[in-house]
């Protein structure tokens, strides 16, 4: 991430006197997050007043975790060309792999230990290769390379991109995040029936926002033990209901976004549930709709965003900024006219089955 910031600063310095070369502003919808951040701040002040607490700096930090990746992605896609973005993503993948092997239990000697591989348990999500730090970056790098490995441009090595795609996929599996593994495999399978360059109707964007707002309310009730009381919630959610119960014992005290962490002494690990309980349903809906608006109507962007929200419903990803930066860069490049303006054509494999959706083809 810091490499990207330094590179970004150098690039800004180079183009500051050449603004005429910048013909379009891409990813304008990323600026929706500025509005979301302002709403979260106002609601946090209200919550602080209601609970008779002063607003804590943690609220600013938590809002920053949502805002900064969006602003970083906005600057990134407007300063770098797609070819430069691809090269930086290659460097990012190499850097994340280095970080992965610097983590405990991930040294190369462990990978040659057969007994370690024999002890992997898929259904209980137990593997010595697991990495909570690198799982999201690996997945979103795979999603980036998967889309752009189909690029048709004489200046970009298509075969090299496919190699990076394969490497990112392997490390996504090794990182052993179950939802991420399933989604990566699903992306490969869905390409047989879905044109990732296509679009869906704008009403589906609202539909997804409403769906995840309602799903968060239902999931919260489920975690609180009000729905399906005969299910072992602790085992199913790997103990997240226990974390929520710690907050319940404090009466769900909140004095702003992010303050549940201060109340219970640890992160809640459920981003959407946290927004819903710390602020309100309005904040949750505005948050959801704004992010889906960033994805716009592009099939591939919508799929990536849907994974992100499924992940935020059952776990936490907002504190891991690198994954979000990569994701928002990918989504914003695809959803904007940047590819067309730079004469970048994305080819696809021939569909083997009838498509599930009536898709609008790009011209």
């Amino acid at each position: 991430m810091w490499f990207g910031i330094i590179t970004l600063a150098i690039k800004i310095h180079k183009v500051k006197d050449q603004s005429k070369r910048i013909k379009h502003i891409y990813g304008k919808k990323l600026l929706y997050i500025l509005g979301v951040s302002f709403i979260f701040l106002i609601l946090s002040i209200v919550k602080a007043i209601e609970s008779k607490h002063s607003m804590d700096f943690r609220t600013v930090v938590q809002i920053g975790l949502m805002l900064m990746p969006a602003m970083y992605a906005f600057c990134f896609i407007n300063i770098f060309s797609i070819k430069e973005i691809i090269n930086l993503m290659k460097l990012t993948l190499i850097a994340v792999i280095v970080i992965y092997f610097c983590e405990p239990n991930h040294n190369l000697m462990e990978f040659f230990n057969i007994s370690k591989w024999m002890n992997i348990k898929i259904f209980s999500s137990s593997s010595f290769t697991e990495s909570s730090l690198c799982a999201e970056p690996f997945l979103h790098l795979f999603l980036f390379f998967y889309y752009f490995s189909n690029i048709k441009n004489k200046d970009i090595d298509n075969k090299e991109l496919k190699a990076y795609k394969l490497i990112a996929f392997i490390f996504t599996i090794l990182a052993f995040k179950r939802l991420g593994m399933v989604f990566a495999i699903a992306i490969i399978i869905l390409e047989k029936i879905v044109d990732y360059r296509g679009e869906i109707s704008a009403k589906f964007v609202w539909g997804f926002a409403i769906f995840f707002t309602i799903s968060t309310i239902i999931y919260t009730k489920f975690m609180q033990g009000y729905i399906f009381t005969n299910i072992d919630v602790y085992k199913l959610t790997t103990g997240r209901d226990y974390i929520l119960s710690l907050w319940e014992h404090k009466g769900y005290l909140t004095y702003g976004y992010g303050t549940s962490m201060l109340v219970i002494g640890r992160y809640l690990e459920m981003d959407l549930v946290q927004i819903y309980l710390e602020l309100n349903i309005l904040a949750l809906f505005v948050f959801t709709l704004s992010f889906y608006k960033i994805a716009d109507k592009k099939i591939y962007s919508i799929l990536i965003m849907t994974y992100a929200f499924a992940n935020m419903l059952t776990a936490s990803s907002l504190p891991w900024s690198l994954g979000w930066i990569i994701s928002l860069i990918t989504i914003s490049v695809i959803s904007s006219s940047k590819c067309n303006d730079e004469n970048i054509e994305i080819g696809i494999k021939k569909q083997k089955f009838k498509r599930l959706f009536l898709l609008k083809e790009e011209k």
Side-chain angles (χ1 to χ4, degrees), residues 10-272:
I10 294 171
K11 191 71 176 181
I12 288 172
H13 178 73
K14 287 183 177 180
V15 302
K16 65 181 181 180
D17 296 324
Q18 305 174 28
S19 58
K20 291 183 180 179
R21 292 188 180 185
I22 302 175
K23 297 180 179 179
H24 300 284
I25 301 297
Y26 303 108
K28 291 180 183 178
K29 292 184 178 181
L30 284 165
L31 300 179
Y32 286 161
I33 309 306
L34 284 170
V36 176
S37 299
F38 179 73
I39 291 172
F40 275 31
L41 181 62
I42 296 300
L43 290 175
S44 294
I45 294 172
V46 172
K47 288 290 183 180
I49 294 172
E50 289 177 347
S51 61
K52 298 180 181 180
H53 282 73
S54 58
M55 193 184 77
D56 196 271
F57 185 71
R58 178 65 204 178
T59 296
V60 178
V61 172
Q62 197 73 31
I63 291 174
L65 291 174
M66 170 181 62
L67 177 62
M68 294 312 294
M71 296 303 98
Y72 185 100
F74 176 76
C75 294
F76 204 89
I77 67 172
N78 281 290
I79 290 173
F80 297 112
S81 68
I82 291 178
K83 184 178 179 180
E84 290 172 323
I85 291 173
I86 288 172
N87 289 332
L88 287 170
M89 288 297 185
K90 291 176 183 177
L91 292 173
T92 302
L93 178 58
I94 294 169
V96 176
I97 290 173
V98 171
I99 293 170
Y100 176 82
F101 282 111
C102 288
E103 289 186 299
N105 299 323
H106 291 166
N107 62 71
L108 289 174
M109 292 301 297
E110 295 286 342
F111 275 74
F112 289 105
N113 189 336
I114 301 299
S115 63
K116 290 282 187 179
W117 292 95
M118 297 298 291
N119 289 328
I120 292 177
K121 298 177 181 178
I122 296 177
F123 295 105
S124 61
S125 189
S126 175
S127 172
F128 76 98
T129 65
E130 185 175 357
S131 173
S132 58
L133 178 63
C134 299
E136 286 294 295
F138 279 139
L139 173 63
H140 289 294
L141 283 164
F142 164 72
L143 295 172
F144 175 86
F145 287 118
Y146 193 87
Y147 188 84
F148 287 101
S149 64
N150 292 317
I151 204 166
K152 293 182 178 180
N153 188 286
K154 63 180 180 180
D155 297 324
I156 300 174
D157 189 342
N158 188 273
K159 292 181 179 179
E160 185 179 344
L161 286 177
K162 289 181 178 178
Y164 276 92
K165 175 183 71 174
L166 178 60
I167 293 169
F169 177 77
I170 291 171
F171 278 95
T172 297
I173 300 301
L174 288 176
F176 221 75
K177 184 171 183 179
R178 284 179 292 184
L179 185 59
M181 292 166 63
V182 171
F183 186 70
I185 295 170
I187 282 293
I188 297 172
I189 296 172
L190 279 174
E191 190 183 20
K192 306 293 183 181
I193 53 178
V194 176
D195 182 351
Y196 288 152
R197 302 171 305 171
E199 297 180 353
I200 61 173
S201 171
K203 64 183 179 182
F204 283 105
V205 175
W206 284 82
F208 279 114
I210 294 170
F211 171 78
F212 276 106
T213 300
I214 296 173
S215 295
T216 301
I217 298 170
I218 295 173
Y219 188 71
T220 302
K221 298 298 180 183
F222 169 70
M223 295 292 288
Q224 292 171 330
Y226 297 126
I227 303 174
F228 304 122
T229 55
N230 58 331
I231 293 177
D232 188 346
V233 181
Y234 182 89
K235 185 176 181 180
L236 183 65
T237 64
T238 59
R240 286 187 176 85
D241 67 318
Y242 169 72
I243 301 173
L244 187 61
S245 72
L246 296 176
W247 194 14
E248 183 180 18
H249 293 152
K250 301 290 185 177
Y252 296 115
L253 172 63
T254 171
Y255 45 101
Y257 183 42
T259 54
S260 62
M261 180 180 181
L262 304 176
V263 175
I264 65 176
R266 61 167 299 165
Y267 205 73
L268 192 62
E269 297 186 25
M270 294 174 287
D271 291 328
L272 298 186

Side-chain angles (χ1 to χ4, degrees), residues 282-294:
L282 174 63
L284 175 63
F285 179 73
V286 168
F287 175 85
T288 307
L289 180 62
S290 296
F291 272 85
Y292 265 102
K293 284 285 188 180
I294 294 171

